[in-house]
Amino acid sequence: MIIKCAIVDDEPLAVELLASYVEKIPFLELCGKYTNATDALHGIGQNPVDLLFLDIQMPELNGLELSRMVPETTRIVFTTAFNQYAVDGFRVNALDYLLKPISYADFLEASTKAMQWFQLVHQSEQSGTAAPTGEEPRSIFVKSEYKLLQINLDDIRYIEGLKDYVKIYTEQSPHPILSLMNMKAIEQMLPASRFIRVHRSFIVQKSKIREIERNRIVFGDVYIPIGDSYKQAFLDFINAK
């Protein structure tokens, strides 16, 4: 697997240093070098990349702002001299965070972590389409905390979406499984005969529904709203034989 990457930093020397690191790593392909976020946004729009090594502290448009504008498929490794930005970095789903001055060893470790993440996502996507035609999958694989977990579909009660993350609530655990993917991605992995999206933030399994109250699905003390734009499709779904 080759990861297409780009570097964004307002310091030209920092850009060249990271570019020299990329050249040493066989699974990275450098597709862009930018010294300001505006040029980067335009360049990435024209030539999308998988991974962005992104400085945070930049004039006009900073790295945190840029990270919210790039495509969902582009993952971020933040590079900065200011460690107080670490928490903010992970709030926008950064894969990693590198504190300047960045050594090659640290850069290689972050790149390897990114490679592992992309491999897990690829394996997860493959597992979702691996079932023979006409046969629904019995389980799915999702990435959680850099591990690939197999989840039996029979165990899933409902799924909640939180921007780039989903929470998968099962009958086997009191705590949800947190996975870095969006709702569209996991919806495509689930058989439509069993699961339905009832709200922009929720997917439920039909067989687990026991009670519906005032346009809400009741799971114990949890109330899942049924969105107006999903209501008719949901009614057709639960009434289908």
Side-chain angles (χ1 to χ4, degrees):
M1 177 180 291
I2 299 296
I3 299 175
K4 294 183 177 181
C5 67
I7 300 166
V8 187
D9 198 305
D10 63 334
E11 298 178 8
L13 290 178
V15 172
E16 294 307 318
L17 176 64
L18 297 188
S20 70
Y21 289 167
V22 170
E23 290 179 358
K24 299 178 182 179
I25 301 175
F27 57 79
L28 292 182
E29 177 186 345
L30 186 60
C31 298
K33 299 187 294 184
Y34 308 96
T35 54
N36 68 77
T38 302
D39 287 347
L41 186 61
H42 176 74
I44 295 168
Q46 297 294 319
N47 299 292
V49 296
D50 305 308
L51 183 64
L52 195 59
F53 294 97
L54 178 59
D55 185 27
I56 294 179
Q57 191 74 359
M58 293 186 293
E60 297 181 0
L61 184 66
N62 68 41
L64 290 173
E65 293 166 335
L66 176 60
S67 70
R68 297 184 178 98
M69 299 178 183
V70 299
E72 291 182 354
T73 53
T74 301
R75 310 316 307 171
I76 307 293
V77 171
F78 279 124
T79 62
T80 183
F82 301 95
N83 58 16
Q84 67 264 31
Y85 287 108
V87 173
D88 290 330
F90 285 105
R91 284 177 181 168
V92 292
N93 304 319
L95 286 182
D96 209 345
Y97 168 88
L98 293 172
L99 185 63
K100 296 180 179 180
I102 300 168
S103 69
Y104 174 68
D106 289 341
F107 186 86
L108 177 60
E109 182 179 354
S111 300
T112 301
K113 184 184 295 185
M115 167 58 82
Q116 292 170 344
W117 189 88
F118 282 109
Q119 287 176 333
L120 289 174
V121 170
H122 178 71
Q123 292 170 18
S124 177
E125 291 173 346
Q126 290 295 102
S127 72
T129 58
T133 303
E135 180 182 339
E136 291 185 348
R138 297 181 181 179
S139 63
I140 59 173
F141 284 88
V142 299
K143 172 258 178 186
S144 182
E145 298 180 352
Y146 302 104
K147 296 182 292 185
L148 200 62
L149 301 180
Q150 185 179 31
I151 304 175
N152 291 328
L153 295 182
D154 289 342
D155 293 337
I156 298 175
R157 300 175 70 197
Y158 63 93
I159 298 166
E160 179 181 6
L162 301 168
K163 198 178 178 182
D164 284 348
Y165 283 88
V166 295
K167 287 183 176 180
I168 304 171
Y169 292 83
T170 70
E171 294 183 334
Q172 304 300 316
S173 173
H175 305 292
I177 297 168
L178 189 65
S179 181
L180 183 59
M181 70 170 73
N182 57 38
M183 288 288 278
K184 182 179 179 180
I186 195 165
E187 187 176 15
Q188 292 174 342
M189 297 170 64
L190 300 169
S193 62
R194 299 177 60 179
F195 293 86
I196 186 169
R197 194 162 180 174
V198 299
H199 185 274
R200 61 182 298 181
S201 300
F202 290 97
I203 295 172
V204 299
Q205 179 161 199
K206 179 179 180 180
S207 64
K208 305 299 180 182
I209 298 173
R210 298 290 181 268
E211 182 179 349
I212 301 172
E213 175 188 301
R214 297 178 181 177
N215 292 323
R216 299 180 300 179
I217 301 168
V218 183
F219 286 103
D221 57 355
V222 176
Y223 293 82
I224 295 176
I226 302 171
D228 290 340
S229 60
Y230 298 88
K231 188 180 300 181
Q232 188 58 54
F234 173 69
L235 293 175
D236 293 342
F237 179 74
I238 61 174
N239 291 322
K241 295 182 180 180

